[in-house]
Amino acid sequence: MQHRVLAIDGTGLYYSGKCRCQECCIKNEGKANEAYYHQMLAACIVHPDRETVLPLAPEPIVHQDGTTKNDCEKNALKRLLSDIKRDHPQLKLVIVLDGLYADGPTVRLIRSYGWHYIIVAKDGNHTSMIEAMDALDQKGDVKRFEMTDGNGAKHWCRYANGVPLNKTEPVEIVNVLDYVETDKKGKRHTRGWITDIPLTEETVLPTAEGGRCRWHIENETFNTLKNQGYELEHNYGHGEQHLATNLAYLTFLAFLVDQIQQLCCPVFQKALKLRARGTRTYLWKLILRYASKYEITNKNSSR
């Protein structure tokens, strides 16, 4: 069965120095600048060649009952992955994450569900792994791959399988991909990932494309939800317990419906491209305008 790329990342929903609820996490507790916030961990099925994404149910990062510490992304990830496996047991996934999760516990958690992973690994945070790569390179066990694509961009990869993740957990073995893309203007983009996907000359570029898909959750998801009419960070009403979180759920649900329409509905695609000039915010205004006209017409006809 074909695997789907699932990009996961966290984002802020709410931040205030005054208003709070029982679910708020607290920053600078007990200090003059004490503040309250909500975050959410989102997961979207993404594809390298498509702008549309399909969000799954997100996981709120909020104060958990029976705890005294703030909730965090790593705890939310445990709950999120458990829920995804329960709700979508048929999905074969490649989990794509940022460098926060490039550690043994996260790798083992993902593998326990039978999924693959591609996780950002930066040089500064994984010194021992880079040293292990350099040692393998001296032995001739690190391979390289270069190519120029049809757009004139040059791709260079250094990769190795079976590299210790770090000195404290040498039993955790990963595959490492260092990747540099130089576009036709000469601008370099350097990235690095760890993965459990076996790296060969045939798999390095697809693996790199999967890792780069992580930006879809930043650009096509969070940017859209915050800046293109969904107003994810707007405080529609904070409530005393679950209101802020439930409103965020509804926002993601509306976004999912719109993404399905953009992916599958020719009428929606035409309206977005031609009538709204590709801008969702303008499309929502057009829809509201037509809805208002329809409501006025119905009122007049009923008199």
Side-chain angles (χ1 to χ4, degrees), residues 20-276:
R20 66 178 295 187
C21 71
Q22 293 182 9
E23 288 194 339
C24 278
C25 293
I26 304 174
K27 183 178 181 180
N28 304 318
E29 187 172 7
K31 299 180 180 179
N33 60 340
E34 182 174 286
Y36 317 104
Y37 65 91
H38 289 231
Q39 295 175 323
M40 187 159 276
L41 193 65
C44 292
I45 296 175
V46 298
H47 190 282
D49 300 327
R50 292 186 179 272
E51 291 185 358
T52 49
V53 302
L54 295 176
L56 304 184
E59 177 62 32
I61 304 173
V62 295
H63 181 78
Q64 301 295 305
D65 289 341
T67 64
T68 57
K69 295 182 179 180
N70 285 332
D71 196 14
C72 67
E73 282 194 31
K74 286 194 173 182
N75 287 337
L77 180 69
K78 296 175 184 177
R79 302 191 299 269
L80 177 64
L81 294 184
S82 176
D83 289 345
I84 291 172
K85 188 63 176 181
R86 181 197 65 221
D87 296 339
H88 307 281
Q90 78 285 1
L91 281 180
K92 303 294 184 181
L93 297 173
V94 178
I95 307 296
V96 179
L97 296 161
D98 66 22
L100 173 67
Y101 302 97
D103 55 49
T106 301
V107 164
R108 290 190 290 272
L109 177 64
I110 294 171
R111 292 176 61 189
S112 72
Y113 291 116
W115 300 326
H116 295 295
Y117 62 85
I118 304 173
I119 305 176
V120 172
K122 299 178 181 179
D123 290 357
N125 297 332
H126 296 85
T127 304
S128 63
M129 186 184 72
I130 299 303
E131 291 174 353
M133 277 284 286
D134 292 338
L136 290 172
D137 206 353
Q138 292 177 2
K139 296 178 182 179
D141 294 332
V142 174
K143 297 181 179 180
R144 287 169 170 77
F145 172 76
E146 294 185 58
M147 68 160 289
T148 301
D149 64 26
N151 296 320
K154 297 179 180 179
H155 304 266
W156 177 91
C157 300
R158 182 180 80 148
Y159 62 95
N161 298 304
V163 183
L165 181 56
N166 54 52
K167 292 179 180 178
T168 59
E169 291 185 287
V171 296
E172 195 61 58
I173 302 300
V174 298
N175 306 327
V176 180
L177 172 59
D178 294 329
Y179 170 81
V180 179
E181 178 186 358
T182 306
D183 62 27
K184 59 184 180 182
K185 295 182 179 179
K187 187 175 181 179
R188 289 166 55 91
H189 306 273
T190 303
R191 303 175 179 89
W193 298 277
I194 59 172
T195 181
D196 64 333
I197 298 171
L199 296 175
T200 66
E201 189 169 304
E202 290 74 30
T203 63
V204 287
L205 286 184
T207 301
E209 287 183 348
R212 293 166 64 186
C213 277
R214 191 182 69 82
W215 287 108
H216 281 27
I217 201 167
E218 294 285 347
N219 298 332
E220 275 71 39
T221 306
F222 297 150
N223 180 60
T224 298
L225 288 171
K226 294 180 180 182
N227 302 311
Q228 296 190 35
Y230 295 92
E231 305 296 342
L232 180 65
E233 294 177 302
H234 181 74
N235 181 17
Y236 293 101
H238 196 64
E240 296 181 358
Q241 284 187 300
H242 311 301
L243 180 61
T245 297
N246 286 336
L247 289 171
Y249 277 136
L250 291 173
T251 302
F252 269 88
L253 183 59
F255 177 62
L256 171 60
V257 172
D258 292 336
Q259 288 293 288
I260 292 173
Q261 290 190 96
Q262 186 170 339
L263 185 64
C264 305
C265 178
V267 176
F268 185 93
Q269 295 166 0
K270 185 176 181 180
L272 180 61
K273 182 179 180 179
L274 300 180
R275 297 302 302 275

Side-chain angles (χ1 to χ4, degrees), residues 279-295:
T279 304
R280 288 182 179 85
T281 304
Y282 187 54
L283 178 60
W284 310 149
K285 292 179 180 179
L286 286 174
I287 292 173
L288 287 173
R289 188 183 306 165
Y290 284 118
S292 297
K293 289 182 178 179
Y294 178 78
E295 182 179 359

